[in-house]
DNA sequence: AAGTAAAACGACAGTTTGTTTATTATCTTA
DNA sequence: TAAGATAATAAACAAACTGTCGTTTTACTT
């Protein structure tokens, strides 16, 4: 309810609860977590949990919402830049600078992201994240892809690209996000623009 | 334990349990299902459930395992054909015939697949399915992609392609799998071989 | 330093879980 | 088709988790 919690106790408890959630997600997965687990890990009273959240699902929702809100911030403002770079590219370097804030954000929130997108994560979050990417790429007034004249139904184009990106992110996080964000941005852009097989060096010169 | 259940009672109950699981998955999602729900829906005694499965997770595992086993059957035997078609294509029709059994299988198991891959589904299943696709494409002796000379790390190539495919499948199932399998196969192949942007008609003639 | 609000504590009934018992129903096969 | 085997039912059990409440204690704000 409280928008701006000024009381330090509230801030502390909420932080403890969220940290506990993330830690437990990595250990057991959300499904196996019960409220008792969370409160024990956060060393707070169980009743206190219920004074902040309805149940563990409510907690999860709030955490995801916050994350997605921030995430969108890292994408939307960079769309115009991305369009520029995508258009002018053909042989030169891949358009990566526009994607950097996004991947840096993912790395900064590594543990939670990994837990959410991992095998014990939340399928609903993947859907939300796809929608986020979708809005970022298609929902703008200066959208990359005008929905006219496509050879493939827009839904499928969007699904393909969004899912592929999430797949790369999962792989990246799963390996500990060792590679610098630039590398990942380059890999993703290359495969999306030139096509996965071509970018990988398997197919050569695909002409119509 | 029993490999081949000859007793009709066993067959009946197991079938009832699985049907109940699928129905409830669509309604509430796996997370919200309890054993009591399943047994009530299946109109069997709760004790009977426990004589067949350890818990709802065990049931889920068994169902997924069976599905994945069959699924692999629809992919692996068609890999050689797929390679042929992928190689010879450049301007002609997309290689689709090799993918048909796979998409037909998905459609035949529509409700369960949709539930598993949907927002209330199981993230672990998506991972397993990606591994399945991965094995199908990379794990063969006559693999499509030799792991040498790739411009993109093989892990990322595989993740990209597998995730993109699953994304398309999700979109397809989510819309009720209205389009015939051929159409979906064509869309998927096109984007993978020529690249999503090119296949969509946004970029033209991508040369190195 | 006083007033206020949060957190802790402990208890509550209601569910769900997994196990176990004795009993009934049903299938297999001889 | 009858006998024996085995699956399914019914009912009860402790244990764990849930969500809620009222009271007491703690600690933050001003």
């Amino acid at each position: 309810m409280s928008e701006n919690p000024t009381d330090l106790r509230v801030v502390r408890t909420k932080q403890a609860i969220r940290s506990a959630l993330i830690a437990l997600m990595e250990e057991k997965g959300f499904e196996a977590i019960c409220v008792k687990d969370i409160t024990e890990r956060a060393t707070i009273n169980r009743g206190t949990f219920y004074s902040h959240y309805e149940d563990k699902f409510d907690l999860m929702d709030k955490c995801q919402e916050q994350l997605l809100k921030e995430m969108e911030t890292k994408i939307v403002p960079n769309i115009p830049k991305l369009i520029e770079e995508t258009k002018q590219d053909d042989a030169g370097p891949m358009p990566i600078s526009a994607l950097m804030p996004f991947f840096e954000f993912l790395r900064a929130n590594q543990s939670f992201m990994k837990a959410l997108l991992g095998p014990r994560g939340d399928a609903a979050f993947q859907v939300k994240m796809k929608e986020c990417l979708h809005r970022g790429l298609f929902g703008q007034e200066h959208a990359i892809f005008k929905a006219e004249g496509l050879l493939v139904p827009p839904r499928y184009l969007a699904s393909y690209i969004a899912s592929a990106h999430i797949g790369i992110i999962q792989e990246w996080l799963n390996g500990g996000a060792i590679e610098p964000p630039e590398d990942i941005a380059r890999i993703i852009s290359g495969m999306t623009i030139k096509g996965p097989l071509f970018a990988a060096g398997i197919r050569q010169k695909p002409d119509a």
Side-chain angles (χ1 to χ4, degrees), chain A:
Chain A
M1 284 298 172
S2 56
E3 281 306 307
N4 261 9
T6 51
D7 199 318
L8 289 188
R9 290 170 294 186
V10 179
V11 180
R12 241 187 283 124
T13 346
K14 285 201 169 184
Q15 230 154 36
I17 289 176
R18 294 193 172 204
S19 299
L21 174 67
I22 295 173
L24 287 165
M25 287 258 302
E26 297 184 80
E27 291 171 28
K28 321 166 118 193
F30 183 69
E31 171 101 43
I33 298 176
C34 63
V35 174
K36 197 185 142 214
D37 291 331
I38 298 172
T39 57
E40 274 178 4
R41 180 67 59 103
T43 41
I44 58 159
N45 190 271
R46 203 162 59 84
T48 306
F49 177 91
Y50 285 107
S51 72
H52 288 293
Y53 304 101
E54 281 184 28
D55 48 32
K56 67 169 185 164
F57 301 101
D58 183 41
L59 168 63
M60 187 57 142
D61 278 349
K62 300 261 170 69
C63 290
Q64 288 185 8
E65 206 174 317
Q66 182 193 310
L67 195 71
L68 286 165
K69 214 170 172 180
E70 274 190 77
M71 191 183 295
E72 201 141 359
T73 291
K74 308 295 175 184
I75 305 178
V76 175
N78 297 301
I79 298 290
K81 205 196 221 176
L82 184 65
I83 297 174
E84 283 307 307
E85 291 174 326
T86 303
K87 277 182 181 159
Q88 70 185 23
D89 169 82
D90 235 37
M94 287 293 105
I96 56 162
S97 71
L99 289 172
M100 291 297 296
F102 178 55
F103 287 104
E104 270 156 6
F105 171 79
L106 294 179
R107 194 188 228 181
N109 295 81
Q110 212 182 124
S111 58
F112 194 26
M113 285 301 311
K114 188 179 168 187
L116 283 170
L117 293 180
R120 287 173 167 169
D122 181 4
F125 178 76
Q126 285 191 40
V127 173
K128 287 183 210 152
M129 193 165 156
K130 279 176 201 166
E131 286 166 0
C132 178
L133 292 176
H134 194 277
R135 277 193 304 277
L137 296 175
F138 290 76
Q140 301 298 306
E141 66 280 356
H142 35 37
I144 296 188
F145 320 109
K146 324 146 201 167
E148 310 161 14
L150 297 184
L151 303 181
V152 163
R155 289 164 49 211
Y156 287 111
L157 177 62
S159 297
Y160 188 96
I161 293 177
S163 293
H165 280 227
I166 288 182
I168 295 291
I169 290 164
Q170 286 171 321
E171 190 65 40
W172 184 44
L173 294 172
N174 207 40
I178 293 171
E179 302 94 329
E182 286 114 301
D183 291 8
I184 302 302
R186 213 181 310 276
I187 289 170
I188 274 195
S189 304
M191 290 199 280
T192 302
I193 294 176
K194 296 182 176 173
L197 300 194
F198 181 69
I202 290 168
R203 278 177 71 91
Q204 327 240 331
K205 294 197 186 184
D207 330 87

